Amino acid sequence: MFGVTRLTQRNAELQAAQQEIRRLAVAEERARTARDLHDILGHSLTVVAVKAELAGRLLELDPARAATEIADVERLARQALADVRGTVGAYRGVKLATELAGARSALAAAGIAAELPETVPSLPAERDELFGWTVREGVTNVVRHSGARRCEIRVGPATVEVRDDGRGPAGEPGAAGHGLVGLRERARRLDATVTVGRRPDGRGFQLRVALPAAAGERDGG
């Protein structure tokens, strides 16, 4: 009888543990989806707002340019919708080259001079995606918070930096938003570090993601 009682107890504990594992898995998936939606929509809506504002200013001065900006707003809105559907379907990916092209457009619309790499090194898929998220998050913050006049993006085999001459989020070194939380979680999967704050020379703000030195050496960096 004692053995039967212990077996029943163990089975109950096992069922409880399995239920808890399922609950945690659902909670983690919901949190991941929420982070991705925040990162995607935060960037897309920021650029849409900037371009719509620019189009409004150009309506009388340069109607043809205003029409171009409005067309871009429509394209970005459609892309944001596709991104949301992709995220919900768990098949959306981010590519560094695509994010650099988007960064150029967003910075130009915001009137921020951009210095972007003409070419980028060939990177493993996971690293390319992480660097793409870094560019997306960094440029979103530059456009939204920094008050910068210039923005520079540097990409190496094991590092990516988004630097500006502005004040940074809320004017506070190290200020972190929800996007940076998600970026740090993505970086941890590759043992990468995320550094955000005032530039070493004190002339602006920077976001830097770096992988361990050995990773760059394996890629010839």
Side-chain angles (χ1 to χ4, degrees):
M1 289 297 295
F2 176 77
V4 172
T5 300
R6 290 291 294 169
L7 180 60
T8 302
Q9 182 181 356
R10 292 296 186 190
N11 285 339
E13 292 172 352
L14 179 59
Q15 290 178 354
Q18 290 173 337
Q19 290 175 353
E20 180 65 10
I21 290 171
R22 286 193 292 268
R23 186 189 69 79
L24 292 173
V26 170
E28 174 59 26
E29 180 61 18
R30 286 176 177 170
R32 182 199 65 78
T33 300
R35 287 192 300 269
D36 283 355
L37 287 174
H38 171 274
D39 294 348
I40 291 164
L41 293 179
H43 174 80
S44 298
L45 295 180
T46 294
V47 179
V48 164
V50 169
K51 283 186 169 289
E53 182 182 353
L54 176 60
R57 295 199 304 266
L58 291 171
L59 274 175
E60 294 184 2
L61 299 174
D62 189 345
R65 172 78 186 282
T68 299
E69 295 298 333
I70 290 297
D72 253 1
V73 168
E74 181 181 1
R75 177 185 59 79
L76 286 166
R78 292 182 184 277
Q79 183 61 53
L81 179 59
D83 288 345
V84 169
R85 288 170 174 165
T87 299
V88 172
Y91 60 80
R92 183 183 185 277
V94 167
K95 294 185 180 298
L96 175 59
T98 302
E99 295 305 323
L100 286 171
R104 189 180 300 278
S105 175
L107 292 168
I112 300 172
E115 185 177 334
L116 276 61
E118 295 297 330
T119 61
V120 295
S122 178
L123 301 171
E126 287 186 337
R127 191 179 312 174
D128 186 273
E129 182 175 3
L130 173 61
F131 285 10
W133 280 113
T134 304
V135 169
R136 173 178 282 252
E137 175 62 20
V139 170
T140 299
N141 286 334
V142 170
V143 171
R144 184 185 291 170
H145 303 298
S146 72
R149 293 172 296 179
R150 295 188 60 83
C151 176
E152 176 186 2
I153 299 176
R154 297 180 177 180
V155 180
T159 61
V160 58
E161 292 182 357
V162 180
R163 303 159 59 114
D164 64 63
D165 60 357
R167 62 181 177 272
E172 299 177 3
H178 296 294
L180 288 174
V181 173
L183 182 61
R184 287 192 172 99
E185 291 184 0
R186 294 183 179 96
R188 276 197 296 269
R189 297 170 196 158
L190 299 183
D191 295 325
T193 58
V194 177
T195 305
V196 58
R198 302 299 298 178
R199 288 166 50 176
D201 58 14
R203 293 184 294 180
F205 202 80
Q206 76 173 16
L207 169 64
R208 184 175 192 268
V209 171
L211 280 87
E217 293 169 1
R218 285 196 299 269
D219 296 335

